[in-house]
């Protein structure tokens, strides 16, 4: 495999690091009017113009300032994998040479992009392969919004990204400011204009940041629950030791108060013999009755060096029926992109599995796979 050349980081401001508010403050700092922010957002995100010289509604001195001091940079796709079900996984390289992964899941009438928020993850959830690589660093706003920009560019106009889920690598609420700025950008009318119902942040339960989010950015909330007792959740999702279930559910109730009919989606990975008994189902009913909620059961996706197994289909379906019968809207997440390890919990970024030669791999950029 050829190694990708380490790009040199340009100096100055990457304008993709700012949401509209940030850009307005940036332009005011230059003695310009705040509306320059919307002008430049339109050029970048709607017109796809990267050359400041072509931004003709900006004054010549401003254009030349931007040319001298600013740049636009996103991660680059280095490998693209396409699963038999149409799911695409991209390994993207950041400008400092790190790898991140994003996944596009096409469905009837919509296209969901699963976006990463950190390189690695610090949370050590025992059933997640991202946890195995430990934590490296937070992604910048431009590296987060850049995943959406690059994915949409690669997909072309025929496949539109209609939904974004912050469910890739990392814990988004531990990278609060950059994730919020990137989500603001996704929802901005002058960029992608996604509605708040179509942008979802998933958290393992960083309780103080959940309260902060309620005030800062109105997006859909998903919570990785996975267990109904503190004893088991302490083991599966260790951040539970810091923020136990009682506090977590209180934060969820607080979020649900944001609007009438608002619900929190709870994610629950189905682990054979661990959290899939009828007693667990009953505990789940009791817990979820305290919050306006929906439940998403996730079949466990296996990965190397991990002893968990996925519950059988029979057990998952029984679980689902019991919960639905108790009035909790419950769905089973369809596993997508299995043959390219693109499913939940399988994103590993820098760790490359060269044995998967039978897959349809496309070579993008300068890297050759297989
Ligand atoms: N850190 C965030 C986002 C990460 S992943 C969070 O914890 O919510 C998105 C979902 O995939 C989470 O619910 C996570 O618990 C789940 N997940 C992780 N590993 C998995 C695996 N091996 N199989 C199935 N789901 C998994």
């Amino acid at each position: 495999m050829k190694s990708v050349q380490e790009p040199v980081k340009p100096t100055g401001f990457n304008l993709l690091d700012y949401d509209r508010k940030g850009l307005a403050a940036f332009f005011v700092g230059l003695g310009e009017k705040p509306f320059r922010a919307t002008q430049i957002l339109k050029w970048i995100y709607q017109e796809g113009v990267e050359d400041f010289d072509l931004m003709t509604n900006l004054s010549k001195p401003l254009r030349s300032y931007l040319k001298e001091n600013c740049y636009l940079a996103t991660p680059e796709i280095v490998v693209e994998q396409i699963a038999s079900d149409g799911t695409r996984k991209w390994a993207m390289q950041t400008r400092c040479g790190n790898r991140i992964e994003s996944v596009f899941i096409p469905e009837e009438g919509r296209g969901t992009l699963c976006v990463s928020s950190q390189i690695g993850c610090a949370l050590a959830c025992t059933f997640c392969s991202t946890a195995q690589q430990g934590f490296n660093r937070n992604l910048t706003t431009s590296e987060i919004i850049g995943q959406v920009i690059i994915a949409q560019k690669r997909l072309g106009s025929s496949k539109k990204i209609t939904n974004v889920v912050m469910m890739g690598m990392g814990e988004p609420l531990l990278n609060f400011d950059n994730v919020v700025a990137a989500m603001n950008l996704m929802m901005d009318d002058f960029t992608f204009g996604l509605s708040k119902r179509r942008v979802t942040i998933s958290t393992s339960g960083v309780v103080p940041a959940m309260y902060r989010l309620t005030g800062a950015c109105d997006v859909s909330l998903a919570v990785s629950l996975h267990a109904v007792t503190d004893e088991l959740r302490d083991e599966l999702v260790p951040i539970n030791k810091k923020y136990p279930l009682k506090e977590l559910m209180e934060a969820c109730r607080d979020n649900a108060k944001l609007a009438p009919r608002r619900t929190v989606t709870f994610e629950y990975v189905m682990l054979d013999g661990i959290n899939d008994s009828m007693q667990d189902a009953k505990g789940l009913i009791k817990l979820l009755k305290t919050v306006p909620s929906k439940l998403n059961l996730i079949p466990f996706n296996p990965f190397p060096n991990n002893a968990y197994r996925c519950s059988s289909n029979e057990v998952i379906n029984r679980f689902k029926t019991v919960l639905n019968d108790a009035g909790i809207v419950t769905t089973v997440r369809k596993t997508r992109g299995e043959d390219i390890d693109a499913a939940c919990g399988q994103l590993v970024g820098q760790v490359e599995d060269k044995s998967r030669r039978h897959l349809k791999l496309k070579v993008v950029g300068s890297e050759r796979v297989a």
Side-chain angles (χ1 to χ4, degrees):
M1 189 186 302
K2 270 196 255 168
S3 70
V4 176
Q5 280 201 341
E6 288 242 338
V8 182
K9 197 171 179 218
T11 50
F13 306 100
N14 184 353
L15 294 187
L16 302 180
D17 276 326
Y18 301 91
D19 60 8
R20 191 182 339 166
K21 230 166 102 192
L23 280 172
F26 177 79
F27 283 115
V28 169
L30 295 177
E32 292 282 338
K33 292 272 185 278
F35 69 79
R36 296 285 176 220
T38 49
Q39 289 181 319
I40 204 144
L41 284 176
K42 277 193 201 166
W43 282 118
I44 299 170
Y45 292 90
Q46 294 186 342
E47 306 295 329
V49 169
E50 294 177 13
D51 182 347
F52 296 118
D53 275 335
L54 301 179
M55 301 184 179
T56 44
N57 54 0
L58 307 181
S59 69
K60 275 213 170 122
L62 179 58
R63 277 185 256 166
S64 71
Y65 174 85
L66 295 176
K67 221 170 130 183
E68 289 287 307
N69 298 286
C70 301
Y71 64 98
L72 304 169
T74 60
E76 273 174 34
I77 294 176
V78 284
V79 184
E80 174 179 77
Q81 290 173 274
I82 304 178
S84 48
D85 66 7
T87 299
R88 294 185 188 212
K89 179 166 84 170
W90 295 289
M92 301 193 191
Q93 177 152 300
T94 67
R95 298 182 73 82
C96 21
N98 298 113
R99 288 282 175 91
I100 48 178
E101 292 184 341
S102 317
V103 177
F104 178 72
I105 305 144
E107 282 170 294
E108 196 58 39
R110 69 174 179 182
T112 303
L113 188 71
C114 180
V115 167
S116 293
S117 58
Q118 296 182 313
I119 295 175
C121 187
L123 289 186
C125 299
T126 49
F127 52 88
C128 177
S129 70
T130 307
Q132 289 194 334
Q133 62 170 293
F135 177 66
N136 184 326
R137 70 169 171 87
N138 280 334
L139 293 181
T140 61
T141 300
S142 56
E143 288 166 342
I144 300 167
I145 194 69
Q147 293 170 61
V148 188
I149 297 172
I150 292 306
Q152 187 61 73
K153 221 182 230 174
R154 179 77 193 152
L155 288 166
S157 51
S158 61
K159 290 193 186 71
K160 206 162 178 285
I161 296 170
T162 59
N163 295 59
V164 171
V165 290
M166 298 300 306
M167 292 186 187
M169 298 162 66
E171 168 49 52
L173 286 183
L174 289 180
N175 183 13
F176 193 90
D177 293 340
N178 295 344
V179 165
V180 164
M183 293 192 307
N184 280 339
L185 277 169
M186 293 167 203
M187 296 188 290
D188 197 300
D189 286 344
F190 296 101
T191 64
F192 296 97
L194 299 182
S195 84
K196 62 187 180 185
R197 282 176 302 109
R198 292 175 177 269
V199 176
T200 302
I201 191 165
S202 176
T203 181
S204 56
V206 189
V207 167
M210 288 169 72
Y211 285 105
R212 224 180 128 198
L213 181 74
T214 307
C217 186
D218 188 7
V219 289
S220 302
L221 178 68
V223 171
S224 296
L225 192 62
H226 307 319
V228 294
T229 64
D230 280 320
E231 193 190 358
L232 181 59
R233 198 163 188 272
D234 281 354
E235 188 186 314
L236 299 179
V237 187
I239 199 170
N240 191 69
K241 291 181 200 152
K242 210 163 171 188
Y243 307 115
L245 279 170
K246 194 163 169 281
E247 290 177 30
L248 176 63
M249 299 312 282
E250 191 52 52
C252 292
R253 276 191 286 279
D254 181 70
N255 186 278
K257 275 192 226 139
L258 267 177
R261 292 190 303 280
R262 190 180 168 95
T263 53
V264 175
T265 300
F266 289 92
E267 295 157 283
Y268 193 93
V269 64
M270 296 299 292
L271 300 168
D272 181 31
I274 306 281
N275 64 356
D276 63 351
S277 69
M278 274 306 111
Q279 203 181 337
D280 292 305
K282 285 184 188 141
L284 206 46
I285 293 167
K286 213 170 141 199
L287 207 58
L288 297 195
K289 286 278 179 188
T290 66
V291 185
S293 49
K294 283 192 191 128
L295 178 65
N296 198 205
L297 301 174
I298 315 177
F300 169 66
N301 296 304
F303 53 91
N305 305 320
N306 188 283
Y308 293 120
R309 281 175 312 169
C310 183
S311 311
S312 67
N313 284 341
E314 200 192 330
V315 166
I316 297 177
N317 285 331
R318 190 159 9 110
F319 215 83
K320 180 183 158 194
T321 306
V322 169
L323 277 133
N324 268 325
D325 288 351
I328 292 163
V329 176
T330 305
T331 47
V332 177
R333 188 176 293 176
K334 236 169 108 190
T335 294
R336 299 290 303 264
E338 217 167 1
D339 50 352
I340 56 168
D341 285 345
C344 299
Q346 293 188 318
L347 302 187
V348 288
Q350 273 146 313
V351 185
E352 283 162 26
D353 179 357
K354 292 182 211 157
S355 67
R356 303 182 158 261
R357 288 164 196 275
H358 59 288
L359 296 172
K360 185 178 168 193
L361 294 181
K362 277 198 179 166
V363 180
V364 183
S366 57
E367 187 177 61
R368 202 164 288 284
V369 178

